[in-house]
Amino acid sequence: VGGVQATRRGTFDAFVVKLDPAGQVVYATYLGGDGFDSGRGIAVDAQGNAWVTGYTDSANFPLQDPLDANRGGFSDAFIARLSAAGDVLQFSTYFGAGNADNGEAIAVDADGRVYVAGRTTGGLTVVNAAQPVFGGVDDGFVLRLNSAATAYEYVTYLGGNFTDIPAAIAVDPAGRA
């Protein structure tokens, strides 16, 4: 209903539904390409835009002004912003490297910067990293996207020798994840 993608395109697609205070559907939309696409986290910014993260193995995931237009491995995380009305894909990008990268959680701060936590099997291009070196089997990652969605302010690993998977992310008033 009123969304950017009226039909499912792949095996599984992510979806976003917005309800009004009375519980009526404002919009409902699929979000995905021809493969397996899973929505894992959602946040809403001050303008009412929905920010979504998850993972995709679709080579044709819908992109808009992407920071990375190519899927890097078996699966990549995705970061997408839908307009408050759900009818415009304002931003969408792949995020990942060699094998498997999943966005698990997303948050937006008061200045409009976007934070994503997820898991990776390594190979990320780190930016201003607190932990620049991959630690183990699966590491967490945390990134911050600037408010214009034009650059990563930081991308860092977060993990030790084994499997580390963040399940949530929150941001304090000072912009610290």
Side-chain angles (χ1 to χ4, degrees):
V1 177
V4 297
Q5 185 178 324
T7 60
R8 189 184 63 176
R9 294 187 181 141
T11 308
F12 290 95
D13 280 1
F15 69 91
V16 178
V17 177
K18 180 179 180 179
L19 303 175
D20 68 17
Q24 300 301 308
V25 174
V26 175
Y27 71 82
T29 188
Y30 291 105
L31 184 61
D34 61 7
F36 185 96
D37 309 292
S38 178
R40 304 289 293 168
I42 190 167
V44 178
D45 65 21
Q47 292 73 40
N49 303 312
W51 284 90
V52 184
T53 194
Y55 60 93
T56 179
D57 70 4
S58 296
N60 64 342
F61 189 85
L63 301 175
Q64 180 64 42
D65 299 323
L67 297 176
D68 186 350
N70 299 302
R71 194 183 77 224
F74 172 73
S75 69
D76 269 8
F78 69 82
I79 306 165
R81 179 179 65 209
L82 296 169
S83 64
D87 58 347
V88 177
L89 182 62
Q90 297 174 329
F91 171 79
S92 181
T93 190
Y94 290 113
F95 175 81
N99 191 15
D101 307 286
N102 300 350
E104 298 290 340
I106 193 165
V108 183
D109 71 17
D111 294 326
R113 294 176 299 200
V114 177
Y115 302 73
V116 176
R119 72 185 287 182
T120 181
T121 54
L124 298 179
T125 300
V126 295
V127 177
N128 299 316
Q131 180 184 331
V133 178
F134 181 72
V137 178
D138 283 302
D139 270 6
F141 70 80
V142 178
L143 66 81
R144 182 169 74 189
L145 180 63
N146 69 10
S147 60
T150 57
Y152 296 110
E153 294 180 342
Y154 63 76
V155 175
T156 188
Y157 291 110
L158 184 62
N161 294 354
F162 296 103
T163 299
D164 305 290
I165 305 169
I169 191 165
V171 182
D172 72 11
R176 294 179 297 232

